[in-house]
Amino acid sequence: MEKKEKYNVTGMTCAACSAAVEKNVKKLKGVKNISVNLLQNNMSVEFEEGDLSQEDIIKAVEDAGYGASSTEDTNSDKKSKSSSIDEEFKVLKLRLFVSIIFTVPLFYLAMGHMAGWPLPTFFLGSENAINFAFTQFLLTLPVMIVNRKFYIIGFKTLWKRSPNMDSLIAVGTSAAALYGIFAIYKIGAGLGIGDMSIVMQYSHDLYFESAGVILTLITFGKFLEGRAKGKTSEAIEKLIDLAPKMALVEKNGEISEIPVEDVNLGDIIIVKPGQSVPVDGEIVEGKSSIDESMLTGESIPVEKNIGDKVIGASINKTGFIKFKATKVGEDTTLSQIITLVEEAQASKAPIAKMADKISSIFVPVVLSIALASTIVWLLLGYSFEFALSIGIAVLVISCPCALGLATPTAIMVGTGKGAEKGILIKSGEALEVAHSINTIVLDKTGTITEGKPVVTDILTYGNLKEESILIDAASAEKSSEHPLAESIIKKAKEMNLSLKEQKDFEAVPGQGLKAVVDGKNINIGNIKLMKSLNIKLEDSESDVDRLSKEGKTPLIIADHEKILGIIAVADTIKASSKQAVEGMKAMGINVVMLTGDNKQTAEAIRKQVGIDLAISDVMPEDKEKEVRRLQGDGSRVGMVGDGINDAPALARSDVGIAIGAGTDVAIESADIVLMKSDLLDAVGAVQLSKSVIKNIKQNLFWAFFYNTLGIPIAAGLLYTSLGLKLNPMFAAAAMSFSSVSVVSNALRLKGFKPIYEINKIESKYKKSLKEITKKEVFDMKKELIIEGMSCNHCKMRVEKELNALDQVESAEVVLDEQKAVVEFKEEISKEVLEKIIDEAGYKLIEVKKV
């Protein structure tokens, strides 16, 4: 039986460490897959339970020179892990403080006599050389002791033949310190025989300050790195903090407050206005608006009634509700999200394997280069001190910690940022592959469209009113369970129409229905039904044809002899779908729609949203074949669907993107899960992937750049021609800076914004301003004075609604001035603008020309 377990790993400091752990564990029989995360100091192992035990895995890690312990992936463990990381950071701060306290006087003493700084007389002159040298040794000793971790791990891994960054530091600083001790003995011997030339030579060739300063600079780099790394896990910590600690539970008529961990399935939970929902459930009493923005990113509270689902950690805004717990503990949506994000952050992108492979051979090569450099300079006739400083500089500048941090930091920040936006990326591999897709396949129902049919048109013939037709139709449809019947009844309710008495209801399969409404025969259905009843279509046939071409389903309403009217029903396109398709095209992605609908409806939807290709009449089981066919043509395919009917296609695609919050099938079958059912988030996911991969490439460049440039200079390649030699202390500073710069660059991803949030689409899919005449700009640019906007959420909502209009080129809200500056492609009436802004929850006061 295959099993997946997570382990904490201690002692890792660079990519060579993680590579050594991975190599040792991978050798074990039964290991299927292993992913070691340097940033989080953990590893995930998939193995055959019969072949392997936890003890075997832990021993393999220890044999590599590191520590390991099993961990349960629960919220409480995450909290304790967080506190242990904080504790580790406190120890690092103490190490840095002690190092600085002793290194500052050490540096002053070692460099003071050369820089002309004032020094006490008992340190000056040949006669005081022992005082001068031995004091430096005493000041270096505490720095080496407090940073002994470098030596313990460095020599241990060197002994195990898996040298890492610590090995380079340990060998380099030990060589400097040991040479300093050797120099003290030489000074003592020189004073003993009265040879002042030996005393002067060795008192100028002490390397204690190099050892102390190198250790302090590297510890300072680790401190900055640790502080920056702490910021990368903020997304997880925020999610954990969302979870309420207590719940009000009603049992046997009594209400008691219990810890959330003690809530059981089926418990009735009470949530008052302003409180957080403790676990997932279904409302059994009351109604309210629920703020789910922390989980879905949707800023507008969602109205909830009896029978609706609520998500744990969302906030009850207005009403009093009771709900039945349907998911508790690790099964709640919040827990699943936390686990999903953690697994993604711990996973390894394919691009990281290159860095790991290089790191596994990098350290032994560097040790060889350092030794070779030292020997070559000795053979060239230079002093041992000179050759030693060359070897130490090579060791110190080559530390590959920046290489190890390049990928995991970017993935950690990127997946955390995605979670903030309601985009859950399941693995580093999915994050990497998403940036390279060139074809995206969209399911129609529930993805491009709302998935719920609504009444779009009501046509009447003769002198009949719309209300009259709708009353007759809704009254006749009362006994029908068809989705189209629901949309007609819903429309009548929205218009507050009173339905009439109905009898003799008869459903005609594939054609429609017959009923008697208030003593009058009412027939509703398609042309086939009308012809079977010998009812003449006359002018209505052209209307039926037109509505069908628009992708709508026309329902003809007739009495016993003539057509009364037509009610058109359609699954309406989501407001953001057209903008999402434009965003995909802007990234050079071909957009394909797959639907089970007929060709006429598919073509109508395709034209409305601007899709390149629509494939119609496709059964759910055939969607996977279509994805495979596109892949066979050389396309890298991303599939966006609801995660239920589309599960095979989602699994087959290079990147499966599931629309719909928290469904088990979606999480199981897709690589990326969108918490909001918004196609724009699929655009955001691809853009985030592109940003993360670009960031990783920048990080790898800088990591390789420092090493590639630094090693030849440190080895003294430019010394004979330019007299350029790298002091070991400067080498340590450069190495530390490389690690800090890589982490800092990854943190820039925290400022990531999808293209639709900043209302930009590449110019090739927008009308160039150069193509618009000055007169056209003047006429088509207007200011809308809007009342009621108060925050950035208001700003974003109004911009989103205006930009969704076909007639709008661009819209930008100036919040302080309570206005929107809009450029139009074509004329649009004030009434339409008023309606759009009113539906968004605001009021249009005035339209002014700019």
Side-chain angles (χ1 to χ4, degrees):
M1 183 181 166
E2 206 166 288
K3 193 176 181 183
K4 187 175 182 180
E5 283 187 351
K6 208 169 182 181
Y7 295 82
N8 289 326
V9 181
T10 57
M12 295 192 300
T13 53
C14 69
C17 301
S18 58
V21 171
E22 197 167 296
K23 185 180 172 185
N24 253 38
V25 175
K26 201 177 269 184
K27 284 191 289 188
L28 295 172
K29 184 189 173 188
V31 171
K32 300 291 182 187
N33 192 27
I34 175 173
S35 178
V36 182
N37 189 296
L38 173 66
L39 199 63
Q40 292 182 309
N41 290 317
N42 63 31
M43 70 174 178
S44 179
V45 186
E46 286 180 44
F47 61 97
E48 288 292 337
E49 201 171 3
D51 296 338
L52 210 56
S53 66
Q54 276 190 3
E55 290 72 26
D56 295 330
I57 293 168
I58 290 169
K59 187 177 183 300
V61 176
E62 288 171 349
D63 287 344
Y66 305 89
S69 60
S70 179
T71 177
E72 293 296 319
D73 199 16
T74 63
N75 281 5
S76 58
D77 284 329
K78 289 170 189 132
K79 279 288 186 186
S80 63
K81 182 180 169 185
S82 178
S83 62
S84 71
I85 289 169
D86 290 341
E87 196 61 41
E88 200 175 304
F89 189 63
K90 283 178 185 174
V91 172
L92 188 59
K93 277 168 76 175
L94 178 65
R95 277 173 51 195
L96 178 61
F97 178 73
V98 172
S99 298
I100 291 170
I101 289 293
F102 287 97
T103 302
V104 169
L106 170 64
F107 185 78
Y108 186 91
L109 180 61
M111 298 296 171
H113 67 287
M114 287 190 284
W117 298 336
L119 286 171
T121 52
F122 57 81
F123 288 131
L124 301 173
S126 301
E127 64 279 8
N128 294 313
I130 282 287
N131 297 346
F132 178 72
F134 195 68
T135 304
Q136 287 186 49
F137 170 68
L138 291 176
L139 288 169
T140 306
L141 210 54
V143 180
M144 294 179 78
I145 290 168
V146 81
N147 292 300
R148 61 190 176 278
K149 186 180 176 184
F150 291 124
Y151 301 99
I152 294 167
I153 296 170
F155 287 120
K156 189 177 180 182
T157 53
L158 190 61
W159 179 255
K160 299 274 185 184
R161 288 181 297 177
S162 299
N164 64 0
M165 185 200 84
D166 290 343
S167 306
L168 301 181
I169 296 166
V171 171
T173 56
S174 295
L178 286 171
Y179 181 76
I181 293 168
F182 165 75
I184 290 175
Y185 280 103
K186 292 294 284 185
I187 290 167
L191 286 171
I193 61 172
D195 189 341
M196 291 299 135
S197 63
I198 293 176
V199 173
M200 289 301 292
Q201 179 191 341
Y202 282 98
S203 61
H204 283 97
D205 283 333
L206 297 166
Y207 276 94
F208 290 120
E209 83 285 352
S210 286
V213 171
I214 286 167
L215 288 169
T216 302
L217 282 171
I218 289 167
T219 304
F220 180 60
K222 287 282 175 193
F223 168 77
L224 292 177
E225 189 184 295
R227 194 168 67 174
K229 276 159 70 175
K231 292 178 184 176
T232 64
S233 58
E234 279 177 6
I236 286 285
E237 287 168 13
K238 283 178 185 173
L239 285 170
I240 293 170
D241 290 338
L242 286 176
K245 308 297 178 284
M246 305 295 286
L248 277 176
V249 178
E250 187 182 84
K251 284 184 181 176
N252 303 320
E254 291 185 9
I255 298 171
S256 58
E257 191 172 36
I258 63 171
V260 170
E261 295 80 25
D262 296 338
V263 174
N264 297 313
L265 284 173
D267 282 353
I268 300 300
I269 298 166
I270 294 169
V271 185
K272 298 173 184 175
Q275 291 182 336
S276 292
V277 176
V279 294
D280 293 9
E282 188 177 300
I283 296 176
V284 295
E285 185 182 319
K287 63 177 182 177
S288 181
S289 60
I290 306 285
D291 181 1
E292 298 176 346
S293 59
M294 297 80 71
L295 296 166
T296 65
E298 179 57 69
S299 59
I300 307 300
V302 183
E303 293 296 325
K304 301 281 185 178
N305 295 295
I306 292 171
D308 288 337
K309 288 184 167 66
V310 289
I311 306 172
S314 56
I315 298 170
N316 182 20
K317 299 294 283 184
T318 53
F320 174 93
I321 58 169
K322 285 184 186 179
F323 71 90
K324 180 173 71 176
T326 56
K327 287 183 181 179
V328 298
E330 291 182 20
D331 294 327
T332 63
T333 302
L334 179 65
S335 291
Q336 286 182 344
I337 290 170
I338 291 170
T339 302
L340 207 60
V341 176
E342 276 215 324
E343 283 179 357
Q345 292 183 340
S347 67
K348 192 167 285 182
I351 197 170
K353 290 171 186 172
M354 177 182 70
D356 285 351
K357 196 170 182 180
I358 290 167
S359 296
S360 63
I361 58 170
F362 186 75
V363 176
V365 168
V366 166
L367 285 167
S368 304
I369 291 171
L371 183 63
S373 300
T374 305
I375 292 168
V376 167
W377 285 107
L378 282 171
L379 293 174
L380 289 172
Y382 286 82
S383 68
F384 178 71
E385 298 79 25
F386 179 89
L388 181 66
S389 71
I390 290 283
I392 293 170
V394 170
L395 290 171
V396 172
I397 200 167
S398 305
C399 295
C401 42
L403 260 179
L405 295 168
T407 303
T409 44
I411 286 176
M412 198 166 187
V413 179
T415 50
K417 193 68 187 176
E420 273 180 40
K421 302 284 182 187
I423 302 166
L424 303 182
I425 300 161
K426 289 176 70 174
S427 67
E429 186 171 359
L431 186 64
E432 180 174 340
V433 174
H435 92 285
S436 63
I437 60 172
N438 52 26
T439 300
I440 197 151
V441 176
L442 308 177
D443 173 47
K444 182 182 80 71
T445 306
T447 302
I448 297 172
T449 65
E450 295 288 354
K452 296 174 184 176
V454 295
V455 172
T456 56
D457 302 82
I458 302 174
L459 307 181
T460 63
Y461 300 102
N463 297 319
L464 292 171
K465 291 184 178 179
E466 287 185 5
E467 289 83 353
S468 171
I469 292 290
L470 194 55
I471 289 169
D472 286 344
S475 301
E477 296 274 17
K478 274 196 295 187
S479 301
S480 175
E481 294 180 355
H482 197 281
L484 299 183
E486 286 180 29
S487 62
I488 292 172
I489 294 165
K490 186 181 176 185
K491 181 68 175 178
K493 283 181 180 177
E494 285 173 4
M495 295 177 69
N496 296 316
L497 301 177
S498 299
L499 302 188
K500 296 175 181 178
E501 186 184 338
Q502 173 240 70
K503 62 180 181 177
D504 298 335
F505 174 85
E506 181 192 347
V508 183
Q511 295 183 26
L513 63 88
K514 303 172 188 176
V516 177
V517 175
D518 201 20
K520 182 173 70 175
N521 286 329
I522 294 293
N523 304 295
I524 304 174
N526 54 26
I527 290 175
K528 205 172 183 181
L529 178 68
M530 298 302 132
K531 285 182 177 178
S532 71
L533 296 171
N534 295 315
I535 296 171
K536 290 182 180 179
L537 295 171
E538 296 176 349
D539 297 337
S540 65
E541 198 160 4
S542 60
D543 289 329
V544 168
D545 189 50
R546 176 181 58 82
L547 291 167
S548 297
K549 285 178 179 175
E550 290 173 6
K552 299 167 184 175
T553 303
L555 300 173
I556 306 168
I557 295 94
D559 57 18
H560 66 286
E561 59 178 8
K562 64 179 183 298
I563 303 291
L564 304 175
I566 298 173
I567 295 178
V569 178
D571 183 5
T572 55
I573 293 167
K574 290 179 183 177
S576 60
S577 291
K578 187 174 182 182
Q579 193 183 351
V581 170
E582 284 181 351
M584 288 167 188
K585 284 183 171 183
M587 292 183 285
I589 298 171
N590 298 320
V591 186
V592 177
M593 181 177 75
L594 282 185
T595 178
D597 274 349
N598 60 59
K599 189 174 182 180
Q600 201 170 39
T601 302
E603 275 299 300
I605 298 292
R606 183 191 72 77
K607 287 174 184 174
Q608 286 180 61
V609 292
I611 288 172
D612 302 319
L613 173 67
I615 302 172
S616 56
D617 300 305
V618 180
M619 299 301 289
E621 59 269 25
D622 294 329
K623 288 185 179 181
E624 183 266 348
K625 290 178 188 172
E626 288 295 336
V627 169
R628 202 184 329 151
R629 184 183 62 77
L630 288 166
Q631 288 172 325
D633 294 338
S635 297
R636 203 87 187 260
V637 180
M639 169 75 192
V640 186
D642 62 15
I644 299 168
N645 298 331
D646 305 308
L650 287 169
R652 163 61 62 183
S653 61
D654 295 288
V655 180
I657 302 173
I659 278 197
T663 63
D664 294 333
V665 180
I667 288 173
E668 201 61 42
S669 58
D671 302 300
I672 298 172
V673 180
L674 309 179
M675 292 299 292
K676 292 179 285 181
S677 294
D678 193 335
L679 197 53
L680 275 173
D681 284 339
V683 180
V686 176
Q687 287 164 353
L688 179 61
S689 170
K690 287 180 181 290
S691 296
V692 170
I693 296 305
K694 183 180 177 183
N695 194 281
I696 288 172
K697 286 177 179 175
Q698 289 169 348
N699 287 347
L700 288 172
F701 168 78
W702 285 111
F704 283 121
F705 175 78
Y706 277 110
N707 290 133
T708 307
L709 184 69
I711 291 174
I713 297 172
L717 241 62
L718 302 180
Y719 183 71
T720 50
S721 57
L722 301 175
L724 193 60
K725 174 179 173 286
L726 196 62
N727 185 293
M729 289 185 286
F730 290 115
M735 190 282 294
S736 297
F737 179 71
S738 72
S739 300
V740 175
S741 65
V742 160
V743 177
S744 301
N745 187 49
L747 286 174
R748 291 193 306 112
L749 286 168
K750 289 173 82 72
F752 168 80
K753 278 188 178 181
I755 204 167
Y756 53 83
E757 284 193 8
I758 52 178
N759 297 315
K760 285 182 182 175
I761 293 180
E762 287 183 16
S763 57
K764 68 189 254 190
Y765 293 101
K766 278 276 197 178
K767 193 173 182 182
S768 171
L769 288 174
K770 291 177 184 176
E771 294 172 14
I772 305 172
T773 63
K774 288 181 181 179
K775 181 178 182 299
E776 198 178 345
V777 171
F778 180 80
D779 287 342
M780 304 306 280
K781 192 171 184 180
K782 294 175 183 176
E783 283 184 358
L784 312 185
I785 309 302
I786 301 167
E787 190 178 79
M789 298 187 296
S790 58
C791 65
N792 275 326
H793 288 306
C794 301
K795 177 181 185 291
M796 287 168 63
R797 185 164 176 77
V798 171
E799 284 179 350
K800 182 179 176 182
E801 295 298 329
L802 288 171
N803 279 304
L805 291 170
D806 290 345
Q807 298 91 336
V808 171
E809 182 74 34
S810 67
E812 185 177 356
V813 169
V814 183
L815 195 60
D816 295 342
E817 297 176 33
Q818 292 285 290
K819 71 177 183 183
V821 180
V822 185
E823 277 189 39
F824 294 96
K825 290 187 270 190
E826 55 189 81
E827 285 294 338
I828 186 170
S829 68
K830 186 180 177 183
E831 289 72 26
V832 172
L833 292 170
E834 279 177 343
K835 186 183 176 188
I836 291 293
I837 290 167
D838 182 63
E839 285 175 354
Y842 310 97
K843 188 176 180 182
L844 178 63
I845 304 299
E846 185 183 358
V847 178
K848 298 195 300 186
K849 282 189 177 181
V850 178

